[in-house]
Amino acid sequence: MNRVQLVSILGSLGLLAMILELIRRGKLAEEYSLLWIATGAVLLLLSLWRGLLDLFAAAVGIYYPPSGLFLVGFIFVLLLILHFSVIVSRLSRQNRELAQDVALLREKLDRLNPSDDRKPRGEE
Amino acid sequence: MNDVRRPHANRILVIIPAYQEEETIGEVVRNVYRHVPDASVVVVNDGSLDRTEEAARAAGAVVLTLPYNLGIGAAMQTGYRYADEEGFAIAIQVDGDGQHLPSEIPILLEELGRGTDLAIGARFLGRGDYDPPFLRKLGIRFFSFAVSTLVGRRFYDTTSGFRAANRRVIESFSRYYPYDYPEPEAILILSRAGFAVREVPARIQEREGGRSSITLRKSVYYLLKVFLALAVGRFRAPPD
């Protein structure tokens, strides 16, 4: 086992341990952790099984197999960012709808309780 | 919803989105009441930090205050959702800065009477002498060209926010309305859904106060965003 492989294995294990610990402590929702676990698992698999990495590198045409590891890692990082962009888009749409609901409900509330005069913004 | 709360059937709602327009909003609201006395006015206060809300309320408008700034599209949709919930038959969009003349509203209403679903008060159609700065004119031309090409019918002023919508459009907009720079996209969406969208000549005034929401810095983003929205809008799954 050479040094590069040892570093790769330790790195992948560290990443997986961090992800699992975050899930265990409830800081990372399972829904969003699947892609992270897949990233860690694939990196670990490629570090452990040198032959697979060589096969992959040969198939894609990479001369130096360990840089295939970087390629795989990079692809997963791109996927993660895309995944987050989708989530952010959904959250901002939901956020917009909620803010609109607040405005509409406030107006209704004011109409139902005219005596309950709300202080203007910034003067609370 | 019970029907006691639908006292507005067959009535007109004027929607005025406003962000930091304390100087002009009161006069704009009073102007609307002066020229269209039977209309209701709702001002959508888009998270202003000044006294827009108080000024609008003092002028007699219903005010919907968003908890923070959402941008013109989401603010406008708030007004459409209000129009939908309250059962208004017609909604009219008027800017809070006084550039749209309430005296021109009857022209839009007449167009709705001819079976149009969304009537747009367009500059450059003969009425009025509005002459925008060079760059803005270029942008306006570009969008008109893009929308006209995609819809397959000539439009002259796709960025105009002076519009009147009938009940069907109110319901559609309250479900889905584009955000950020919504005007050209809204035309495209409605046209593709089979609504009759038509322009009528309208006078537009120079801005009385406030500043255009479109600065030079933002206009590149504006151009790209709307162009992408228009291009993708062609293929996008219809909103449900």
Side-chain angles (χ1 to χ4, degrees):
Chain A
M1 184 179 291
N2 59 28
R3 189 169 296 194
V4 140
Q5 196 178 7
L6 191 65
V7 170
S8 308
I9 291 171
L10 287 179
S12 316
L13 278 178
L15 179 65
L16 269 178
M18 235 161 81
I19 294 165
L20 292 176
E21 177 61 12
L22 283 172
I23 298 171
R24 196 186 64 80
R25 279 197 265 158
K27 295 203 168 177
L28 181 61
E30 286 85 352
E31 182 191 354
Y32 306 130
S33 63
L34 287 179
L35 202 48
W36 276 113
I37 293 175
T39 308
V42 167
L43 286 180
L44 182 63
L45 182 72
L46 287 174
S47 319
L48 285 172
W49 184 6
R50 190 62 200 266
L52 184 64
L53 189 58
D54 290 338
L55 273 176
F56 171 75
V60 193
I62 296 171
Y63 294 116
Y64 178 58
S67 51
L69 204 57
F70 292 119
L71 179 65
V72 172
F74 183 67
I75 289 171
F76 267 96
V77 167
L78 277 185
L79 283 178
L80 276 169
I81 294 172
L82 192 63
H83 181 58
F84 290 148
S85 299
V86 170
I87 292 168
V88 168
S89 302
R90 192 187 63 208
L91 285 176
S92 59
R93 178 177 52 79
Q94 290 171 337
N95 176 281
R96 251 192 329 270
E97 285 169 10
L98 264 185
Q100 292 178 339
D101 287 346
V102 168
L104 291 164
L105 288 174
R106 255 195 205 166
E107 189 276 329
K108 232 171 230 163
L109 192 65
D110 286 355
R111 216 182 327 163
L112 293 174
N113 305 321
S115 56
D116 181 22
D117 47 339
R118 187 161 46 86
K119 288 222 171 108
R121 284 169 68 86
E123 293 186 9
E124 281 95 330
Chain B
M1 289 292 135
N2 64 47
D3 280 291
V4 186
R5 283 192 233 153
R6 289 195 176 260
H8 304 298
N10 305 318
R11 291 206 53 201
I12 300 166
L13 177 70
V14 175
I15 303 170
I16 310 177
Y19 176 63
Q20 320 273 52
E21 306 274 16
E22 61 178 4
E23 285 169 31
T24 54
I25 191 70
E27 193 48 34
V28 172
V29 171
R30 278 187 289 273
N31 247 325
V32 169
Y33 282 133
R34 204 169 298 141
H35 287 99
V36 198
D38 51 344
S40 301
V41 177
V42 65
V43 169
V44 184
N45 172 25
D46 193 7
S48 303
L49 298 170
D50 62 2
R51 303 187 64 83
T52 298
E53 177 170 355
E54 290 81 348
R57 193 165 283 144
V62 169
V63 181
L64 302 173
T65 289
L66 292 162
Y68 34 76
N69 186 263
L70 290 185
I72 179 70
M76 194 62 82
Q77 192 186 26
T78 313
Y80 275 110
R81 286 182 58 183
Y82 179 80
D84 183 33
E85 281 181 17
E86 298 293 320
F88 281 94
I90 291 171
I92 297 167
Q93 302 178 198
V94 172
D95 272 6
D97 61 9
Q99 64 168 325
H100 300 149
L101 301 168
S103 54
E104 302 281 286
I105 290 177
I107 299 176
L108 296 182
L109 292 175
E110 258 171 52
E111 184 58 34
L112 286 188
R114 283 192 277 270
T116 295
D117 295 308
L118 183 78
I120 302 170
R123 302 158 280 194
F124 327 120
L125 279 182
R127 257 178 90 75
D129 46 11
Y130 175 78
D131 191 27
F134 177 72
L135 272 175
R136 182 168 310 164
K137 197 187 279 176
L138 208 68
I140 290 168
R141 290 253 168 88
F142 170 76
F143 289 129
S144 298
F145 171 75
V147 170
S148 302
T149 307
L150 288 166
V151 173
R153 214 158 53 73
R154 192 79 181 85
F155 283 96
Y156 293 88
D157 194 9
T158 56
T159 54
S160 166
F162 187 46
R163 303 177 166 193
N166 68 9
R167 181 70 202 169
R168 283 175 62 221
V169 172
I170 290 173
E171 286 168 4
S172 170
F173 279 169
S174 72
R175 283 194 303 272
Y176 179 81
Y177 193 71
Y179 56 96
D180 262 6
Y181 301 107
E183 287 87 8
E185 209 182 329
I187 296 179
L188 192 72
I189 291 169
L190 286 188
S191 299
R192 303 198 77 81
F195 288 93
V197 182
R198 292 199 194 97
E199 291 180 317
V200 284
R203 261 176 336 120
I204 306 283
Q205 205 165 43
E206 297 295 327
R207 306 177 67 84
E208 280 174 9
R211 280 182 303 126
S212 170
S213 57
I214 302 151
T215 59
L216 189 60
R217 187 171 58 78
K218 286 183 189 161
S219 43
V220 173
Y221 167 70
Y222 183 169
L223 233 70
L224 288 174
K225 189 265 168 186
V226 175
F227 189 72
L228 182 70
L230 291 176
V232 174
R234 239 196 118 97
F235 308 104
R236 181 177 287 173
D240 42 36

